[in-house]
Each structure stands twice: as C-alpha cells, then as structure tokens.
C-alpha cells in the first residue's frame, strides 16, 4: 500500500536524499523551497510525500499561490523553472497525481500546473511553445570553455577581461540585490523583496552562491547561482548602468562557467527564457541550443491556458509605466506585486 501525506520537518533530509538519487530530480524539487516560499512570500506549501513500507516512493512539491491580482493556482513548483512529481513507478506517480487533483478541488483553485510534462490521462493539457531551456556541457579547462563560446560573445568576454573586471563571491545579498532591483525596474518587472534572496542563501547554504563582478571595487553586475549534482544554474542576475560598456554581463556568466568547471561541475544550465525575447537570443548567441519546455495544466475554470507572462499584450502598458518609476518606489511596491508572479 502507498500512503500519501504532507512533508514534515523531520522528513526534509529523506526527501532531499530521494530527490538527489532520482533521475528526474532537480534543484527545484528540494524541500528547502517550501520554507523559502512560505517565509519569503507567505504562500502555503503542500509538499506531498508517498511512502511504501516506511520508505519514500515519490514526492510532489506543490505551492498554493493565491493572488487577488492574478490567479488562484496550485503549482509545482511556483517561482521555479521545474517541478512536478518524482516517483519510483507509475502506480506511485498516479497516486500523487490523484492526490494533487483532490487537493486542487479542496482548495478550489483555478488550475493545477506541473512544470514538467503532464500525465497521459484525461483532463490534462500541455503547452511547449512559451519557454525554452538552455543546457550544455562544460569542461574542467577554462580555455576550452572560452573557445566553445561563439566568436562574437567570446570577444565580449575578452573585452570585460581587458577592462580589468574581477569576480568575487559575496556571503550576503545586499550588493546583489541593488543590482537585481535596478535591472528588474529597467525591464518593467516588479522586484522580489530582499528577504527572499536572503532566505535562499540561508536555506540552501553553499549550494546557493552570489558572484559580484567589480570594476575598480565598484559592483557592476551580480548573479545568484544554484548548484545541484553536476549542474550550475545562474538563476537571478542584475547589472548597473555602466555594465553594458564594460561587457560586465558577459564576463559575469563566463566567470560562473569558469569557476563551476574548475570545481568539477559538468553542465551549465542557463535557465529558461520566453521564445522571442532578448534573453532567448542572448543565450543562443552563447552557443546554447534551445530545448522547448513542456508544462502540464489541469483547468478547473474556463477552457484557456493561463497567460501570466510579460509577453502577454495586456501587460504592455503596466511594463511601460513600471519602467518610469523611481528605483526607490519600485523597491517599495515591487515585492507586494512580485509575490503573485510565481
């Protein structure tokens, strides 16, 4: 018999051990996200754990994201690129799916979303035309990694080197947050609160790394990266106004790649980007091949898949107005809105 219940604090290490050994496991399946999202945004996690004979047979991390501005949804995993159930066999996977559907009904959400392909059963829909992921192998030799970057982008990396840029690891998030907040406002995106990034560092420890690129001691760009198995994931990034002239953004990603390769990491995960955006083109120009990401949805209201993303034309006016806000005001208002953009 397979029993399904919610994660407790006592289960966290067992949960993470299971995620670590499962082929489909990812950094976004880790139990720590439940604490980060609960404390950072106030959303309630429902982390489902399937047990058989006292051993974990499957897990499904779910976040109830209830927003007055946007949707009321149950998502695996909100604020993350990936998610969905991990199970040792199809029967356990089916039991987790059924438990998620029952939970969605009980919470009366608008839809249930898996950030992975959906189950092949009635009532589920899939979408793979919105986001692409970008992953490729890296080498232990920095020179080989540099030569693997297409010529034009490689020239930008070398330009940053000539400007005397230096990458340094930060224990805190203060300098990174200032860069990230400035960048978010520039792109018309409400910024997350600083507390969220501090929690990521606190909960994930050495597997969450902040790199700051400096020019003569001044921070020009920064990135928060996650490490999982043999992958590095530069996940959140920001830069100052002078970074473009210094090619600091290119140098920053190169420095992440160099450091990761030298410590034995063999895959560089550039994260997801929306098709047709500048970040999509930027990653392609680095020599990464886009791979469509398929997400699964089970709608409980309406018949159209959700469109809560910046490429939706209905948000263009909001984005244009947000870019005009003073930085201080965007920092003050942003976290209240961003907590709903899971």
């Amino acid at each position: 018999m397979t029993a399904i219940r919610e994660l407790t604090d006592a289960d966290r290490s067992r949960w993470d051990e299971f995620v670590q050994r499962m082929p489909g496991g990812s950094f976004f399946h880790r139990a720590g996200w439940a604490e980060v999202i609960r404390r950072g945004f106030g959303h309630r996690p429902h982390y489902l754990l399937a047990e058989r004979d006292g051993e974990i047979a499957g897990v499904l991390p779910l976040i109830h994201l209830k927003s007055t501005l946007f949707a009321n949804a149950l998502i695996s995993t909100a604020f993350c690129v990936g998610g969905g159930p991990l199970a040792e066999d199809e029967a356990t996977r089916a039991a987790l799916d059924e438990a998620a559907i029952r939970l969605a009904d009980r919470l009366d959400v608008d839809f249930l979303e898996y950030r992975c392909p959906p189950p092949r059963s009635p009532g589920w829909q899939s979408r793979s035309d919105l986001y692409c992921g970008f992953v490729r192998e890296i080498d232990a030799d920095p020179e080989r990694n540099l030569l693997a970057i297409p010529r034009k982008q490689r020239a930008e990396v070398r330009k940053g080197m000539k400007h005397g840029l230096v990458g340094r690891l930060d224990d805190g998030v203060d300098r990174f947050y200032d860069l990230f907040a400035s960048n978010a406002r520039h792109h018309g995106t409400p910024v997350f609160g600083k507390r969220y990034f501090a929690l990521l560092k606190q909960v994930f420890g050495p597997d969450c790394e902040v790199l700051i690129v400096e020019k003569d001691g001044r921070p020009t760009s920064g990135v928060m990266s996650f490490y999982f198995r043999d992958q590095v994931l530069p996940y959140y990034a920001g830069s100052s106004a002078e970074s473009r002239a210094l090619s600091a953004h290119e140098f920053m990603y190169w420095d992440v790649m160099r450091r990761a390769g030298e410590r034995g990491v063999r895959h560089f995960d550039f994260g997801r980007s929306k098709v047709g955006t500048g970040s999509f083109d930027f990653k392609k120009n680095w020599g990464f091949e886009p791979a469509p990401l398929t997400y699964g949805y089970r709608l409980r209201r309406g018949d159209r898949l959700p469109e809560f993303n910046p490429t939706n034309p209905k948000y263009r006016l909001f984005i244009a107005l947000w870019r005009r806000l003073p930085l201080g005001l965007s920092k003050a208002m942003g976290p209240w809105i961003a907590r709903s953009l899971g």
Side-chain angles (χ1 to χ4, degrees):
M1 295 291 292
T2 299
I4 296 179
R5 60 179 176 84
E6 293 208 12
L7 173 76
T8 67
D9 288 342
D11 300 316
R12 285 181 57 167
S13 61
R14 295 172 60 227
W15 176 295
D16 282 345
E17 287 168 5
F18 181 82
V19 169
Q20 185 75 18
R21 69 179 173 82
M22 288 295 290
S26 73
F27 186 82
F28 305 110
H29 284 96
R30 290 185 58 174
W33 283 101
E35 179 182 355
V36 168
I37 294 173
R38 177 180 58 81
R39 294 174 58 191
F41 299 117
H43 300 305
R44 182 172 178 182
H46 295 271
Y47 274 42
L48 304 183
L49 184 152
E51 281 184 312
R52 189 165 50 243
D53 298 327
E55 298 294 328
I56 295 179
V59 298
L60 174 54
L62 291 161
I63 300 293
H64 182 199
L65 195 153
K66 189 172 184 179
S67 163
T68 55
L69 293 175
F70 301 102
N72 176 15
L74 192 60
I75 304 174
S76 180
T77 307
F79 302 95
C80 297
V81 167
L86 292 177
E88 290 185 335
D89 52 70
E90 285 303 314
T92 304
R93 159 77 191 242
L96 286 168
D97 291 337
E98 291 169 6
I101 293 169
R102 289 195 300 271
L103 180 61
D105 290 341
R106 179 167 64 82
L107 297 174
D108 196 26
V109 298
D110 299 330
F111 60 90
L112 170 62
E113 176 181 343
Y114 283 176
R115 292 188 176 170
C116 71
R120 297 176 181 176
S121 56
W124 287 87
Q125 301 182 52
S126 66
R127 181 169 190 177
S128 56
D129 62 341
L130 186 58
Y131 294 105
C132 282
F134 297 81
V135 182
R136 73 170 173 82
E137 292 187 10
I138 55 176
D139 198 272
D141 183 350
E143 191 61 27
R144 288 185 179 178
N145 287 328
L146 187 59
L147 292 175
I149 301 171
R151 182 176 58 83
K152 186 175 179 181
Q153 293 301 114
R154 187 167 66 245
E156 292 296 315
V157 173
R158 294 194 187 279
K159 182 179 173 182
M161 295 176 179
K162 290 177 181 178
H163 279 296
L165 299 180
V166 177
R168 302 189 190 281
L169 299 181
D170 264 18
D171 291 330
V173 299
D174 290 349
R175 296 201 300 169
F176 164 77
Y177 185 73
D178 288 341
L179 294 163
F180 180 81
S182 176
N183 211 55
R185 191 272 309 267
H186 174 73
H187 287 96
T189 305
V191 68
F192 297 127
K194 186 190 293 188
R195 175 179 171 80
Y196 169 61
F197 296 103
L199 282 167
L200 286 169
K201 281 286 291 176
Q202 175 187 328
V203 170
F204 293 116
D207 294 333
C208 176
E209 189 175 87
V210 173
L211 177 74
I212 301 294
V213 173
E214 299 175 349
K215 168 64 176 173
D216 299 329
R218 301 187 312 277
T220 63
S221 58
V223 59
M224 175 176 278
S225 302
F226 303 139
Y227 286 85
F228 181 77
R229 292 201 289 237
D230 70 339
Q231 288 186 326
V232 59
L233 302 88
Y235 200 63
Y236 293 113
S239 54
S240 67
E242 68 172 336
S243 66
R244 186 178 182 88
L246 297 171
S247 296
H249 221 56
E250 289 80 2
F251 178 86
M252 176 184 72
Y253 285 120
W254 155 247
D255 208 33
V256 172
M257 186 179 292
R258 176 187 66 79
R259 291 168 181 269
E262 289 178 346
R263 67 185 270 181
V265 173
R266 290 296 168 262
H267 290 88
F268 190 96
D269 186 338
F270 230 151
R272 75 178 186 183
S273 287
K274 298 176 185 69
V275 176
T277 63
S279 65
F280 180 96
D281 294 335
F282 179 82
K283 293 169 185 179
K284 280 196 68 176
N285 291 340
W286 269 71
F288 286 70
E289 285 297 320
L293 297 176
T294 301
Y295 290 166
Y297 301 87
R298 188 178 181 92
L299 306 182
R300 295 191 66 256
R301 291 186 181 87
D303 56 3
R304 298 187 64 180
L305 295 178
E307 289 279 1
F308 303 112
N309 66 83
T311 58
N312 187 335
K314 67 186 285 187
Y315 299 127
R316 285 177 184 166
L317 178 59
F318 173 84
I319 291 171
L321 291 173
W322 196 266
R323 285 173 173 165
R324 297 175 179 271
L325 286 181
L327 182 57
L329 187 58
S330 71
K331 282 184 177 181
M333 295 175 57
W336 181 78
I337 300 173
R339 69 181 295 276
S340 300
L341 301 176

Coordinates of all heavy atoms in Angstrom, one line a residue, residues 4-17 19 29-35 38 44-51 56 58-62:
I4 N 0.0 8.6 1.2 CA 0.4 9.9 0.8 C 0.1 10.9 1.9 O -1.0 10.9 2.4 CB -0.2 10.3 -0.5 CG1 0.3 9.4 -1.6 CG2 0.1 11.8 -0.8 CD1 -0.3 9.7 -3.0
R5 N 1.1 11.6 2.3 CA 0.9 12.6 3.4 C 1.7 13.8 3.1 O 2.5 13.8 2.1 CB 1.2 12.1 4.8 CG 2.7 11.6 4.9 CD 3.0 11.1 6.3 NE 4.4 10.6 6.4 CZ 5.4 11.3 6.6 NH1 5.3 12.6 6.7 NH2 6.6 10.7 6.7
E6 N 1.6 14.9 3.9 CA 2.4 16.1 3.6 C 3.7 16.0 4.4 O 3.9 15.4 5.4 CB 1.6 17.4 4.0 CG 0.4 17.6 3.1 CD 0.1 19.1 3.0 OE1 0.8 20.0 3.5 OE2 -1.0 19.4 2.5
L7 N 4.7 16.7 3.8 CA 6.1 16.8 4.3 C 6.1 17.4 5.7 O 5.4 18.4 6.0 CB 7.0 17.6 3.4 CG 8.4 17.9 3.8 CD1 9.3 16.7 3.7 CD2 8.9 19.1 3.0
T8 N 6.9 16.8 6.6 CA 7.1 17.4 7.9 C 8.6 17.8 8.0 O 9.4 17.4 7.2 CB 6.8 16.5 9.1 OG1 7.7 15.4 9.1 CG2 5.4 16.0 9.0
D9 N 9.0 18.6 9.0 CA 10.4 19.0 9.2 C 11.3 17.8 9.3 O 12.4 17.8 8.9 CB 10.6 19.9 10.4 CG 10.0 21.3 10.1 OD1 9.8 21.7 8.9 OD2 9.8 22.0 11.1
A10 N 10.8 16.7 9.9 CA 11.6 15.5 10.2 C 11.9 14.8 8.9 O 12.8 13.9 8.8 CB 10.8 14.6 11.2
D11 N 11.1 15.1 7.8 CA 11.2 14.3 6.6 C 12.2 15.0 5.6 O 12.5 14.4 4.5 CB 9.9 14.2 5.8 CG 8.8 13.5 6.6 OD1 9.1 12.5 7.2 OD2 7.7 14.0 6.7
R12 N 12.6 16.2 5.9 CA 13.4 17.0 4.9 C 14.6 16.3 4.4 O 14.8 16.3 3.1 CB 13.7 18.4 5.5 CG 12.5 19.3 5.6 CD 12.8 20.7 6.1 NE 13.9 21.3 5.3 CZ 14.2 22.6 5.4 NH1 13.5 23.4 6.3 NH2 15.1 23.1 4.7
S13 N 15.4 15.8 5.2 CA 16.7 15.2 4.7 C 16.4 13.9 3.9 O 17.0 13.7 2.9 CB 17.6 14.8 5.9 OG 17.0 13.9 6.8
R14 N 15.4 13.1 4.3 CA 15.0 12.0 3.5 C 14.4 12.4 2.1 O 14.7 11.8 1.1 CB 13.9 11.1 4.2 CG 14.4 10.5 5.5 CD 13.2 9.9 6.3 NE 12.6 8.8 5.5 CZ 11.3 8.7 5.4 NH1 10.5 9.6 5.9 NH2 10.8 7.7 4.7
W15 N 13.6 13.5 2.1 CA 13.1 14.0 0.9 C 14.2 14.4 -0.1 O 14.2 14.0 -1.2 CB 12.2 15.2 1.2 CG 11.6 15.9 0.0 CD1 12.3 16.6 -0.9 CD2 10.2 16.1 -0.3 NE1 11.5 17.2 -1.8 CE2 10.2 16.9 -1.5 CE3 9.0 15.6 0.2 CZ2 9.0 17.2 -2.1 CZ3 7.8 16.0 -0.4 CH2 7.8 16.8 -1.5
D16 N 15.2 15.1 0.4 CA 16.3 15.6 -0.4 C 17.1 14.4 -0.9 O 17.7 14.5 -2.0 CB 17.1 16.6 0.3 CG 16.5 18.0 0.3 OD1 15.5 18.2 -0.4 OD2 16.9 18.9 1.1
E17 N 17.3 13.4 0.0 CA 18.1 12.2 -0.5 C 17.4 11.5 -1.6 O 18.0 11.1 -2.6 CB 18.3 11.3 0.7 CG 19.3 11.8 1.7 CD 19.2 11.0 3.0 OE1 18.5 10.0 3.1 OE2 19.9 11.3 4.0
V19 N 15.3 13.0 -3.8 CA 15.4 13.9 -5.0 C 16.8 13.7 -5.6 O 16.9 13.7 -6.8 CB 15.1 15.3 -4.6 CG1 15.5 16.3 -5.7 CG2 13.6 15.5 -4.2
H29 N 13.1 20.7 -6.9 CA 12.4 19.7 -6.1 C 12.8 19.7 -4.7 O 12.1 19.0 -3.9 CB 12.6 18.3 -6.7 CG 11.8 18.0 -8.0 ND1 12.3 18.1 -9.2 CD2 10.5 17.6 -8.2 CE1 11.4 17.8 -10.1 NE2 10.3 17.5 -9.5
R30 N 13.8 20.3 -4.3 CA 14.4 20.3 -3.0 C 13.4 20.8 -1.9 O 12.6 21.7 -2.2 CB 15.7 21.0 -2.9 CG 16.8 20.3 -3.6 CD 18.1 21.0 -3.4 NE 18.5 21.1 -2.0 CZ 19.7 21.5 -1.6 NH1 20.6 21.9 -2.4 NH2 19.9 21.6 -0.3
A31 N 13.4 20.2 -0.7 CA 12.4 20.5 0.3 C 12.6 22.0 0.8 O 11.6 22.5 1.3 CB 12.6 19.6 1.5
G32 N 13.8 22.5 0.7 CA 14.0 23.9 1.2 C 13.1 24.9 0.5 O 12.9 26.0 1.1
W33 N 12.7 24.7 -0.7 CA 11.8 25.7 -1.4 C 10.5 25.9 -0.6 O 9.9 27.0 -0.6 CB 11.5 25.2 -2.8 CG 12.6 25.5 -3.7 CD1 13.5 24.5 -4.2 CD2 13.0 26.7 -4.3 NE1 14.4 25.1 -5.0 CE2 14.1 26.4 -5.1 CE3 12.4 28.0 -4.3 CZ2 14.7 27.5 -5.9 CZ3 13.1 29.0 -5.0 CH2 14.2 28.7 -5.8
A34 N 10.0 24.9 0.1 CA 8.8 25.0 0.9 C 9.0 26.1 1.9 O 8.1 27.0 2.1 CB 8.4 23.7 1.6
E35 N 10.1 26.1 2.6 CA 10.4 27.2 3.7 C 10.6 28.5 3.0 O 10.1 29.5 3.5 CB 11.6 26.7 4.5 CG 12.0 27.8 5.5 CD 13.2 27.4 6.3 OE1 13.7 26.2 6.1 OE2 13.6 28.2 7.2
R38 N 7.3 29.9 1.7 CA 6.3 30.2 2.8 C 6.8 31.5 3.6 O 6.0 32.4 3.8 CB 6.3 29.1 3.8 CG 5.4 29.3 5.0 CD 5.3 28.1 5.9 NE 6.7 27.7 6.4 CZ 7.3 28.3 7.4 NH1 6.8 29.3 8.0 NH2 8.5 27.8 7.8
R44 N 1.3 29.1 0.9 CA 1.3 27.9 1.7 C 1.8 26.7 0.8 O 1.3 26.5 -0.3 CB -0.1 27.5 2.2 CG -0.1 26.2 3.0 CD -1.4 25.9 3.7 NE -1.3 24.7 4.4 CZ -2.3 24.1 5.1 NH1 -3.4 24.7 5.2 NH2 -2.1 23.0 5.7
P45 N 2.9 26.0 1.2 CA 3.3 24.8 0.5 C 2.5 23.6 0.9 O 2.1 23.5 2.1 CB 4.8 24.7 1.0 CG 4.8 25.3 2.3 CD 3.7 26.4 2.4
H46 N 2.3 22.7 -0.1 CA 1.7 21.4 0.2 C 2.7 20.4 -0.5 O 2.5 20.1 -1.7 CB 0.3 21.3 -0.4 CG -0.7 22.2 0.2 ND1 -1.4 21.9 1.3 CD2 -1.0 23.5 -0.1 CE1 -2.2 22.9 1.7 NE2 -2.0 23.9 0.8
Y47 N 3.6 19.9 0.3 CA 4.6 19.0 -0.3 C 4.2 17.6 0.0 O 4.3 17.1 1.2 CB 6.0 19.3 0.3 CG 6.7 20.4 -0.5 CD1 6.1 21.6 -0.9 CD2 8.1 20.3 -0.8 CE1 6.7 22.5 -1.6 CE2 8.7 21.3 -1.5 CZ 8.1 22.4 -1.9 OH 8.7 23.4 -2.6
L48 N 3.7 16.9 -1.0 CA 3.2 15.6 -0.9 C 4.3 14.5 -0.9 O 5.1 14.5 -1.8 CB 2.1 15.3 -2.0 CG 1.0 16.3 -2.1 CD1 0.0 15.9 -3.2 CD2 0.3 16.5 -0.7
L49 N 4.2 13.6 0.0 CA 5.2 12.5 0.1 C 4.5 11.2 0.1 O 3.6 11.0 0.9 CB 6.0 12.7 1.5 CG 7.1 11.8 1.8 CD1 8.1 12.6 2.7 CD2 6.6 10.6 2.5
A50 N 4.9 10.3 -0.8 CA 4.4 9.0 -1.0 C 5.3 8.0 -0.3 O 6.5 7.9 -0.6 CB 4.2 8.6 -2.4
E51 N 4.8 7.2 0.6 CA 5.6 6.2 1.4 C 5.0 4.8 1.1 O 3.8 4.6 1.0 CB 5.6 6.5 2.8 CG 6.5 7.6 3.3 CD 6.5 7.8 4.8 OE1 5.4 7.8 5.4 OE2 7.6 7.8 5.4
I56 N 10.4 6.3 1.2 CA 9.8 7.2 0.3 C 9.8 6.6 -1.1 O 10.8 6.1 -1.6 CB 10.6 8.6 0.3 CG1 10.5 9.3 1.6 CG2 10.1 9.5 -0.8 CD1 11.3 10.6 1.7
G58 N 7.9 8.4 -3.6 CA 7.6 9.5 -4.6 C 7.4 10.8 -3.8 O 7.0 10.8 -2.6
V59 N 7.6 11.9 -4.5 CA 7.4 13.2 -3.9 C 6.7 14.2 -4.9 O 6.9 14.0 -6.2 CB 8.7 13.9 -3.4 CG1 9.3 13.1 -2.3 CG2 9.7 14.1 -4.5
L60 N 6.0 15.1 -4.5 CA 5.4 16.1 -5.3 C 5.3 17.5 -4.6 O 4.5 17.7 -3.7 CB 4.0 15.7 -5.8 CG 3.1 16.7 -6.6 CD1 3.9 17.2 -7.8 CD2 1.8 16.1 -7.0
P61 N 6.2 18.4 -4.9 CA 6.2 19.7 -4.3 C 5.1 20.6 -4.9 O 5.2 20.9 -6.1 CB 7.6 20.3 -4.5 CG 8.0 19.6 -5.8 CD 7.3 18.3 -5.8
L62 N 4.2 21.1 -4.1 CA 3.1 22.0 -4.6 C 3.1 23.3 -3.8 O 3.2 23.2 -2.6 CB 1.8 21.3 -4.5 CG 1.6 20.1 -5.5 CD1 0.4 19.2 -5.0 CD2 1.3 20.6 -6.9

